[in-house]
Amino acid sequence: MKRVLLALILTFASAVVHAQGALDAIRQRGEIVICTDATYPPFEVKKDGKIVGFDVDVAEAIGRELGVKVRWVDSEWAGVLGSLESGKCDLVMAGVTITKERKDKGYVFSRPYFLSGQVIVRRKGDSRIEKPQDLLDKKISVQAETTGQFAVERLGVPKERMLRFDQVMDGLLDVRNGRSDATVGDLPTLKAILRESYSELEIVGGPFVKENLGIVAWRTKPELISLVNRALEKAFVDGTYAKAYQQWTGDPYTAATVAELEAVRNEGSKVADLPAKLAPISANPQAAAKPTSAFAFRWDILRDSWPLLLQGAKLTLVLTGLGLAIGIPVGLLLALIRLSPIVFLRPIAKVYVEIVRGTPLLMQIYVIYFVLPAIGIELGPFVSGVIALSLNAAAYIAEIFRAGIESIDSGQMEAARSLGLDYKGSMQWVILPQTLRRVLPPLTNEAVALLKDSSLVSVVALSELMRVGKEIATNSGSPTTVYLTIAACYLALTLPLTWLVRRLESAWQPISRPRQGARRLRKVAA
Amino acid sequence: MSAILSIKGLTKSFGRNEVLKGIDLEVQEREVVALIGASGSGKSTLLRCINRLEAPTGGTVRFRDAEVTAANVNAMRRDIGMVFQRFNLFPHLTALQNVALAPRKVLRTSDGEAERDALKLLEQVKLGGKADAFPGELSGGQQQRVAIARALSLKPAVMLFDEPTSALDPELVGEVLEVMRDLAQSGMTMIVATHEMGFARDVASRVIFLDNGTILEEGPPSEVLVAPKMDRTREFLARVLNR
C-alpha cells in the first residue's frame, strides 16, 4: 500500500515537473504552436494567404499572457486533434466542441469560450425539412468526425444516407447540387459561410443540440489549459473578447451572451485535479501519468476498429478492381486508336490522354461529382469515384500500351501481314499477345499507383481505407497506431499483387529468354 | 506457258529517293529467279512491292490474271509466301504454333488439322523434333527453317526470299540453302534475293542483276554469273566472289 502511494506521489510529481516543462519549453522557443483547420469561419479562415478569424484574435490574448508569438499550423480537420498527441502542436483551436468522449480520450479542454449548436441547412423554401425529425428519411451531408455528424447519428439517420465530407463547404455544395437534402453543422460557422456565399441555402430553426466550444491541449500538458483559462478571463474583462466576437460573428455582444457563457463556465476540464482524473484512462496508473510517446502502439484501438478498417480496405479493393477492369480495356482501346491506320481518329486519343494526364485526379473527381450535376449528369459518390479512377487510369494505361505496341519489332507485323492476316488479326494474334507480356511490369506499377490514388475519392464521401484510418485517428488519441496499421493494410493489398505478377512473368518467360521446362509440351497427333 | 507473276513499269520512291526505277519482270511457273546486286540496289524493295508490304509508287504487279491491289492483297498474300532476312518468327508461339497460325486464323482450318499439317511442314524442313520449342530456344538456322515452313503453311504458288541467309552465322547457311534447294526441286516458283552466288549458280533458272533500281542484266546463271555482258555486273561479281 505504501508502495502504491509512493508511486502515485512520484507520478503526480513527475506530471507537475513535466507540466512546468511544457510552459518553459514554449517560452524558450518563443512561440506557441496552435493547430487548426482553416476552413471554418468565423473561427478561422484563410484570407490572402493568412489565417484570420475569431480564434486568431483570442490566440493573440493567449500569446500575450505567455509572452510569446503564435504560430498556426493548418491541416485537414481529420488530422488536427491527433497532432496534439504527437506533440506537433501545443493547442488546438478550431471551434472544437467539448464532449465527454473527447475528454475520456485524453484531450483537456479550456472553459467554454464560445456557445454553439447544431443547426440544419436546407435549400431555400424546401418545406419538407422543418425540424430534426424531418431528417430521418432524407439524405444528409455532414463534415466527417464533427459533432454535426454525431448529432445526425444520434437522431437516427442511417449510415447509408449520411454523406461524410472532409470540409463543411463540400457538404453545402452537395445540398446546393440537390444530391443531399440538408446538411447539419455548427451554427456560427454555417451562419458565416451562408452570409458570404450560397444564397440558395438557408438555416432552418435554431440549434437542436447545444454545444460549448473549448480550446484543447493534450493530457500531459494541463498547465497550458490553466494558462488559457487565465487568458480567457482577462480577455472577457478587458474587452478583447467582445471586440473579436462582434467583428467576426457580426452579432452584438450582449449581457445575455455573457450570462450564457458564465452559466457553463465549469464545463471545461477540471485542471487542478487532473492527474487524479488521468488514472482511469489506462488500467496502469503509472503508464497513464507518463507522457505518451509518439511511438506507443495501442493494440486496444485496433481491437475496436478492425471491422471498420476491413470495410475500408474492401472498398479500396473494389474501387481499384473496378478502376482496372474498366481502365485496362479503355486504355487499350485508346492506344489502338492512337496507333490506328485510320489517321484522323488518332488525335481523339491523344487529346484525351493529354487532358487527363495533365490535370490532377483530385480535380477530376471534383468535376465528375460536383460539376457534372450543373449540366444534368447526376452520379452517386460510388459511381463518380469508379468513373474518375477508371478514366484516369485509362489515360496512363493507354500510354503504357502505346509504348508496348511500338516496342514490338516492325518485322512482326510484316510477317503476320505477309501470311495473309489482316491488320486486326495481326494485332490480335501476333502484336498484342507480345505486348501484354511486355507491359506487365508497367501495368503493375499503374495498378499499385491506382490502389493508392483511390484514397482521393474520400472527398466525395466514400469511406475507403485511408479515410477510415483518418477518422479513427481523429478520435482515437493515437494516430501513430492507426497510421502504422493503415500502412500495413496498404502493403497487405499491394504485395500479393506484385507477387502474382512476378509469378505470371516467369510463366511467360520463353519470350524473353530460353528456359528449359517453361514450355508446355503438347502431344500433337502426327 | 503463261507467267505466274508479271511486273510492269514498277517504281517505288521513299520521299525523293527513287529506289525502283521502272522494273519489268515476268516469272514463269516453276521458275527459280535469283536477284543479285549490291546492298541498296532495290532487291528487298522489289520483293516487298510484289506482296505489297510496300505500296508501289507506280506500275503494276499481276499474279496470274489479277492485279495485286490494296483491296485484294490479303487474299493474294495466301498465294505469295515470304521469308525474311531476320526470320521474324513469333516469339510467344512454339515452332508448331508459328506454322499453324495462318491456316487457323486465315483459312479457319481446325486446330487439329492445322497442327497436323504444320508438323508435316516442320518435318519437311527437318525440324519435326522441335515442334514444341519456342523461337528463343532455336539456332538461327533452325529459326529460318521454321520461317520457311511457316511461309509454306498456306500452300502458296510463289515464294519470296529476302536474303534468307544474310543474318546467319556461316556454318548455319548450309542447312537453310539445302531446304531451299529441296523446295526448288519440288517445283516451287521462287524469287530469291541473295548474296549466295553458289546457290544462284546451282539452283536458279534465271539470274537478275539489279543495279540502282533497274534491271541491268538477266539471263541463265551460266551467262550472267560466268560471262556477264555489263561492266557493272562484272565489278559486282568480282567484289562478292573475292570476299
Side-chain angles (χ1 to χ4, degrees):
Chain A
M1 183 64 212
K2 242 182 179 171
R3 256 194 162 155
V4 173
L5 206 64
L6 190 68
L8 272 177
I9 290 168
L10 277 178
T11 49
F12 184 87
S14 76
V16 170
V17 168
H18 180 74
Q20 272 323 119
L23 285 182
D24 288 344
I26 291 167
R27 286 204 189 90
Q28 218 155 50
R29 78 173 106 96
E31 56 178 23
I32 184 165
V33 184
I34 306 180
C35 277
T36 193
D37 166 17
T39 59
Y40 219 60
F43 300 104
E44 47 271 314
V45 284
K46 273 243 165 112
K47 213 162 198 176
D48 307 323
K50 267 187 70 183
I51 298 174
V52 295
F54 177 77
D55 277 346
V56 176
D57 293 356
V58 174
E60 286 305 319
I62 296 170
R64 267 202 306 279
E65 181 72 24
L66 247 178
V68 295
K69 278 193 299 203
V70 176
R71 184 160 67 85
W72 289 92
V73 175
D74 182 23
S75 63
E76 229 175 77
W77 166 241
V80 170
L81 282 179
S83 50
L84 283 176
E85 185 227 3
S86 60
K88 283 225 174 308
C89 44
D90 304 307
L91 294 175
V92 162
M93 293 179 76
V96 184
T97 307
I98 303 170
T99 67
K100 188 175 172 308
E101 291 83 4
R102 284 172 178 160
K103 281 181 186 169
D104 286 348
K105 278 172 185 142
Y107 298 110
V108 187
F109 286 90
S110 72
R111 58 156 297 167
Y113 76 119
F114 205 95
L115 298 181
S116 172
Q118 296 300 319
V119 288
I120 302 167
V121 171
R122 67 176 186 192
R123 286 184 291 279
K124 258 185 191 158
D126 185 351
S127 57
R128 299 174 305 147
I129 296 161
E130 300 284 357
K131 52 188 185 304
Q133 282 68 36
D134 295 340
L135 300 180
L136 288 177
D137 56 347
K138 309 282 191 313
K139 266 192 180 164
I140 313 301
S141 62
V142 292
Q143 185 179 14
E145 299 307 305
T146 57
T147 46
Q149 177 190 325
F150 306 150
V152 172
E153 276 169 0
R154 267 197 297 276
L155 275 176
V157 175
K159 245 191 165 154
E160 57 274 18
R161 273 194 282 103
M162 193 162 60
L163 294 126
R164 297 182 297 166
F165 292 91
D166 284 344
Q167 297 190 0
V168 199
M169 299 286 188
D170 292 343
L172 287 167
L173 191 54
D174 209 50
V175 177
R176 194 188 68 183
N177 283 346
R179 212 117 39 149
S180 350
D181 297 304
T183 192
V184 168
D186 290 355
L187 172 63
T189 299
L190 291 174
K191 210 158 136 189
I193 296 176
L194 261 51
R195 206 170 44 212
E196 292 272 323
S197 38
Y198 294 105
S199 53
E200 311 88 332
L201 306 179
E202 64 183 356
I203 294 172
V204 53
F208 65 96
V209 178
K210 297 228 178 197
E211 288 174 349
N212 307 311
L213 309 186
I215 298 165
V216 201
W218 186 237
R219 60 183 180 192
T220 52
K221 302 176 182 174
E223 75 284 9
L224 267 175
I225 290 302
S226 311
L227 176 103
V228 167
N229 283 340
R230 262 202 320 277
L232 282 174
E233 297 298 343
K234 275 192 193 161
F236 286 137
V237 175
D238 68 12
T240 313
Y241 184 92
K243 193 169 151 256
Y245 186 92
Q246 286 179 347
Q247 183 190 344
W248 294 107
T249 64
D251 294 335
Y253 183 68
T254 62
T257 320
V258 181
E260 279 179 287
L261 266 172
E262 275 313 298
V264 294
R265 64 169 300 144
N266 292 323
E267 293 297 310
S269 304
K270 290 183 186 60
V271 184
D273 51 21
L274 214 96
K277 279 191 88 180
L278 265 174
I281 293 172
S282 159
N284 180 351
Q286 218 159 349
K290 260 188 222 156
T292 328
S293 148
F295 293 106
F297 201 86
R298 301 244 319 261
W299 292 102
D300 55 313
I301 295 176
L302 281 194
R303 194 189 54 224
D304 298 338
S305 56
W306 72 265
L308 278 174
L309 286 172
L310 205 63
Q311 253 179 9
K314 216 169 86 185
L315 183 60
T316 291
L317 207 57
V318 168
L319 285 166
T320 310
L322 286 175
L324 289 174
I326 300 170
I328 291 176
V330 173
L332 177 58
L333 188 71
L334 285 167
L336 290 174
I337 292 174
R338 181 99 188 248
L339 300 170
S340 164
I342 309 167
V343 178
F344 70 87
L345 285 180
R346 291 182 190 173
I348 300 173
K350 191 173 153 74
V351 167
Y352 177 89
V353 168
E354 292 301 336
I355 288 177
V356 172
R357 253 193 342 184
T359 53
L361 173 57
L362 189 59
M363 189 221 71
Q364 293 159 12
I365 298 170
Y366 262 89
V367 166
I368 289 176
Y369 188 75
F370 288 114
V371 181
L372 287 190
I375 54 165
I377 303 174
E378 297 272 351
L379 302 165
F382 181 75
V383 176
S384 300
V386 168
I387 290 180
L389 288 177
S390 30
L391 292 188
N392 185 270
Y396 289 94
I397 291 171
E399 283 302 278
I400 292 173
F401 273 119
R402 182 176 70 91
I405 292 170
E406 284 177 339
S407 77
I408 305 291
D409 180 59
S410 62
Q412 291 289 310
M413 180 55 106
E414 288 180 354
R417 299 304 303 269
S418 80
L419 285 167
L421 283 165
D422 54 13
Y423 179 81
K424 181 178 156 287
S426 306
M427 271 289 170
Q428 185 176 356
W429 304 111
V430 175
I431 305 298
L432 290 182
Q434 297 182 51
T435 305
L436 277 182
R437 288 158 167 81
R438 210 168 279 191
V439 300
L440 210 54
L443 218 48
T444 314
N445 274 345
E446 176 56 27
V448 171
L450 187 66
L451 189 109
K452 294 183 290 183
D453 285 349
S454 70
S455 67
L456 290 174
V457 301
S458 68
V459 296
V460 292
L462 287 174
S463 293
E464 45 65 59
L465 186 53
M466 190 62 212
R467 170 57 165 272
V468 170
K470 273 199 220 163
E471 287 171 3
I472 297 172
T474 306
N475 290 302
S476 68
S478 177
T480 315
T481 304
V482 179
Y483 288 127
L484 284 178
T485 307
I486 296 296
C489 288
Y490 273 106
L491 279 177
L493 293 175
T494 52
L495 289 181
L497 181 71
T498 45
W499 175 82
L500 193 75
V501 172
R502 258 203 307 279
R503 287 286 303 267
L504 211 55
E505 268 181 290
S506 56
W508 282 348
Q509 197 74 6
I511 186 167
S512 47
R513 75 186 135 95
R515 213 175 59 122
Q516 292 300 318
R519 54 190 159 164
R520 290 136 292 166
L521 289 165
R522 284 182 312 143
K523 291 276 164 276
V524 179
Chain B
M1 206 159 59
S2 74
I4 192 164
L5 264 181
S6 79
I7 297 161
K8 281 206 176 68
L10 184 67
T11 60
K12 175 66 186 177
S13 305
F14 294 103
R16 294 169 61 186
N17 180 21
E18 196 174 32
V19 180
L20 296 179
K21 299 171 177 166
I23 301 285
D24 295 300
L25 173 65
E26 295 218 327
V27 179
Q28 308 300 322
E29 209 139 352
R30 304 174 76 86
E31 204 179 0
V32 176
V33 177
L35 281 181
I36 62 170
S39 299
S41 58
K43 303 189 298 291
S44 278
T45 308
L46 174 55
L47 290 178
R48 293 159 63 83
C49 280
I50 291 175
N51 71 349
R52 271 190 96 89
L53 282 183
E54 305 287 357
T57 308
T60 57
V61 175
R62 299 180 74 85
F63 173 77
R64 293 211 165 106
D65 292 323
E67 188 179 338
V68 180
T69 64
N72 68 11
V73 69
N74 286 330
M76 289 294 189
R77 281 173 185 156
R78 298 181 199 177
D79 289 318
I80 307 172
M82 186 163 195
V83 174
F84 299 86
Q85 181 178 344
R86 301 217 38 95
F87 331 140
N88 295 346
L89 287 182
F90 307 136
H92 61 298
L93 301 178
T94 62
L96 190 77
Q97 290 166 334
N98 263 279
V99 181
L101 183 73
R104 281 169 54 217
K105 302 304 172 193
V106 177
L107 304 180
R108 311 240 165 242
T109 312
S110 74
D111 288 4
E113 197 186 333
E115 291 186 353
R116 266 195 303 280
D117 292 348
L119 196 61
K120 275 184 211 150
L121 284 169
L122 284 177
E123 279 160 2
Q124 186 183 330
V125 298
K126 303 179 183 72
L127 283 172
K130 294 285 185 185
D132 286 316
F134 285 93
E137 298 168 304
L138 298 173
S139 73
Q142 290 171 326
Q143 287 191 56
Q144 192 60 300
R145 286 188 279 151
V146 173
I148 292 171
R150 182 178 66 177
L152 290 170
S153 65
L154 294 175
K155 303 187 176 66
V158 181
M159 285 280 280
L160 310 176
F161 291 84
D162 187 2
E163 301 196 26
T165 57
S166 301
L168 293 176
D169 291 339
E171 73 271 21
L172 301 175
V173 169
E175 60 188 70
V176 173
L177 291 181
E178 192 187 324
V179 165
M180 291 169 64
R181 197 167 282 142
D182 291 349
L183 199 59
Q185 259 151 29
S186 73
M188 174 62 74
T189 310
M190 295 162 62
I191 305 178
V192 185
T194 187
H195 290 294
E196 294 294 328
M197 294 306 140
F199 176 83
R201 187 188 58 224
D202 298 345
V203 182
S205 41
R206 182 159 43 133
V207 175
I208 291 177
F209 177 65
L210 218 55
D211 184 61
N212 200 18
T214 55
I215 294 178
L216 207 60
E217 187 166 356
E218 63 176 306
S222 54
E223 288 175 16
V224 179
L225 297 180
V226 179
K229 298 191 193 75
M230 312 294 285
D231 292 344
R232 301 275 301 170
T233 318
R234 254 194 301 279
E235 283 167 27
F236 170 77
L237 288 173
R239 254 200 333 268
V240 291
L241 293 175
N242 294 335
R243 229 184 358 192

